[in-house]
């Protein structure tokens, strides 16, 4: 089974430039997550999709961040314009989520390391 | 709002010693998952706990969920160098929010 695919793996941009990250989840996983992880910290959820619907985007800085998941499969996360503080690793994860008190495990991609100069 | 604590932040142990990390939530949880992240890697799922007071074991790892479903612990018996990494709890609240703890970084001295 292929894992979660992310691209690019590394990206260096100057501040105020736009940047986009792409994620292809594991086949059959209807839930997709975008996280931001700063060095030495836990992943911070930016947005969670169930199929095409964004069910939790409360932590997404909507003034500069946007995300889409067309057709409920792969997803893109965009930052425009980027700021110095956006330097971090952006992780995508997918799972076969279900409602109720139990959850399926999340499978993470390798992440995109973003450096804003 | 939801507050999540994980302690300790760092732990250095001699190989063969035990290790425990604790995760605490300010609100009752639906479930808690534990993940391990090796240096330079991505989080990898270890276990999920759902029931109050639940205890699960995986070889040298023991996971517990508190009776009030607000805290959890991960205990490693006789650590090995392969245990090195950061251990995160992932909490799912009754409001369907998903929150990672800040993590405990484990170093094992051979």
């Amino acid at each position: 089974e292929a894992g979660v695919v992310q691209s690019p793996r590394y990206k260096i941009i100057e501040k105020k430039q736009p940047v986009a990250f792409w994620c292809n989840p594991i086949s059959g996983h209807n839930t997709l997550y975008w996280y931001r992880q700063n060095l030495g910290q836990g992943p911070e959820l930016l947005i969670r999709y169930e199929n095409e619907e964004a069910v939790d985007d409360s932590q997404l800085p909507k003034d500069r961040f946007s995300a889409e998941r067309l057709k409920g499969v792969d997803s893109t996360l965009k930052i425009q314009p980027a700021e110095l503080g956006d330097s971090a690793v952006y992780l995508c994860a997918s799972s076969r989520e279900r409602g109720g008190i139990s959850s399926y495990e999340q499978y993470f991609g390798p992440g995109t390391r973003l450096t804003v100069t | 709002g939801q507050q999540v604590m994980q302690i300790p932040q760092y732990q250095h142990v001699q190989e063969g010693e035990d290790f425990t990390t604790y995760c605490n939530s300010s609100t009752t949880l639906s479930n808690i998952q534990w993940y391990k992240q090796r240096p330079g890697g991505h989080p990898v799922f270890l276990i999920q706990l759902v029931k109050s007071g639940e205890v699960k074991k995986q070889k040298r790892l023991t996971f517990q969920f508190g009776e009030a479903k607000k805290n959890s612990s991960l205990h490693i018996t006789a650590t090995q160098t392969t245990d090195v990494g950061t251990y995160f709890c992932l909490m799912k609240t009754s409001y369907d929010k998903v929150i990672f703890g800040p993590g405990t970084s484990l170093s094992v001295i051979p």
Side-chain angles (χ1 to χ4, degrees):
Chain A
E1 177 180 76
V4 176
V5 179
Q6 287 189 248
S7 68
R9 292 293 311 277
Y10 305 90
K11 189 74 176 179
I12 301 174
I13 61 171
E14 294 184 345
K15 62 181 180 182
K16 300 185 181 179
Q17 294 301 305
V19 64
F21 314 122
W22 177 80
C23 173
N24 188 260
I26 292 172
S27 178
H29 283 193
N30 65 325
T31 302
L32 184 147
Y33 309 78
W34 281 105
Y35 291 93
R36 175 171 58 190
Q37 187 174 28
N38 290 303
L39 190 64
Q41 298 182 20
E44 173 194 6
L45 180 68
L46 294 174
I47 190 166
R48 173 164 64 112
Y49 283 96
E50 289 184 10
N51 299 306
E52 302 90 352
E53 183 183 1
V55 297
D56 185 357
D57 63 356
S58 56
Q59 299 291 96
L60 188 72
K62 298 181 182 64
D63 57 336
R64 297 183 300 108
F65 286 64
S66 64
E68 61 181 13
R69 191 184 184 197
L70 300 176
K71 301 180 182 179
V73 181
D74 56 352
S75 176
T76 56
L77 177 68
K78 298 178 181 177
I79 308 175
Q80 183 171 11
E83 297 179 350
L84 294 176
D86 296 330
S87 294
V89 175
Y90 290 82
L91 293 164
C92 178
S94 71
S95 73
R96 291 179 294 157
E97 190 66 19
R98 65 185 176 197
I101 64 171
S102 188
S103 305
Y104 283 105
E105 64 186 272
Q106 295 184 30
Y107 292 82
F108 283 80
T112 298
R113 183 175 297 277
L114 174 66
T115 302
V116 181
T117 63
Chain B
Q2 175 82 20
Q3 291 189 5
V4 176
M5 278 182 48
Q6 195 171 348
I7 55 172
Q9 186 176 2
Y10 303 98
Q11 185 80 61
H12 306 277
V13 300
Q14 202 76 34
E15 188 173 18
E17 292 181 340
D18 293 356
F19 160 78
T20 305
T21 174
Y22 301 89
C23 210
N24 296 295
S25 167
S26 59
T27 61
T28 303
L29 304 170
S30 294
N31 66 60
I32 192 165
Q33 297 179 347
W34 285 92
Y35 289 77
K36 176 183 178 182
Q37 185 173 24
R38 294 182 184 273
H42 56 272
V44 175
F45 175 82
L46 295 175
I47 204 86
Q48 177 178 248
L49 304 169
V50 179
K51 299 176 183 176
S52 169
E54 189 170 16
V55 178
K56 288 188 176 180
K57 294 189 176 183
Q58 287 180 351
K59 297 183 181 179
R60 295 179 294 105
L61 278 61
T62 302
F63 304 84
Q64 292 189 327
F65 203 7
E67 295 290 340
K69 298 185 69 173
K70 288 185 175 183
N71 55 74
S72 180
S73 65
L74 157 59
H75 179 82
I76 302 178
T77 303
T79 55
Q80 300 175 358
T81 55
T82 53
D83 296 324
V84 166
T86 302
Y87 293 85
F88 294 99
C89 58
L90 174 60
M91 303 180 172
K92 185 175 181 182
T93 73
S94 54
Y95 298 101
D96 202 29
K97 292 287 187 182
V98 173
I99 304 169
F100 269 96
T104 296
S105 177
L106 173 64
S107 299
V108 179
I109 305 165

